[in-house]
Amino acid sequence: MAASPARARTVLENAALLGMSRQQLAPVLPDARPVSSPRRLSSGASGLLRVADAVCEGSHFVQTLFFLHQALQQMDLVLLDPASGPGAEAAVTKTQAFLVQSLRARLGPELAAFGAAPDGVAQTASWVSAGADVMLFRSGRPDHPALRMVIRRRLLVNANEL
């Protein structure tokens, strides 16, 4: 029997987890498992936990949780089993359009949109909400597209720190 997916969450519910320790997340994300080969981000955060089937905004993702100084700094969500082959581009475009609409409803209009055709969906869109940056990225080949959402703790610096 296959494992049941984690409880469905919204982007805002996920953003509320930022800053928590692994111990604090254990009861909230009981399906999170240690990553065998942690990936390190340029910020220094390490991907230590993974949820194999995380439902966010109605779509299924593989979710990796990145920690720095024992606190959750970033979540990477990669669309679980995106379509591949001749109809893949249309299927991922439909999922992406649904996610953009859902994020607009929760977070307002996006801050940035890049790579959009006049009537198409942008390759990248981003929002800021509740101390978090939320970014949606589309990449890959037309026959094997990928969709990734990143929710990370907002880091504000002043000009003296640049």
Side-chain angles (χ1 to χ4, degrees), residues 53-65:
D53 185 358
V55 182
C56 184
E57 301 298 333
S59 294
H60 292 261
F61 296 91
V62 173
Q63 180 180 36
T64 304
L65 307 168

Side-chain angles (χ1 to χ4, degrees), residues 42-119:
S42 61
S43 66
S46 294
L48 302 177
L49 296 175
R50 180 165 292 136
V51 179
D53 185 358
V55 182
C56 184
E57 301 298 333
S59 294
H60 292 261
F61 296 91
V62 173
Q63 180 180 36
T64 304
L65 307 168
F66 290 85
F67 294 83
L68 180 66
H69 306 300
Q70 266 90 105
L72 180 61
Q73 298 296 311
Q74 180 170 315
M75 293 176 236
D76 280 21
L77 297 103
V78 177
L79 189 63
L80 188 61
D81 297 327
S84 61
E89 187 74 13
V92 170
T93 298
K94 183 177 177 182
T95 301
Q96 181 185 12
F98 172 80
L99 283 169
V100 167
Q101 289 305 316
S102 180
L103 293 170
R104 282 178 183 156
R106 294 192 193 281
L107 307 174
E110 56 270 38
L111 297 174
F114 303 102
D119 292 328

Side-chain angles (χ1 to χ4, degrees), residues 82-85 88-89 92 139-146:
S84 61
E89 187 74 13
V92 170
S139 61
R141 300 183 318 264
D143 64 334
H144 195 74

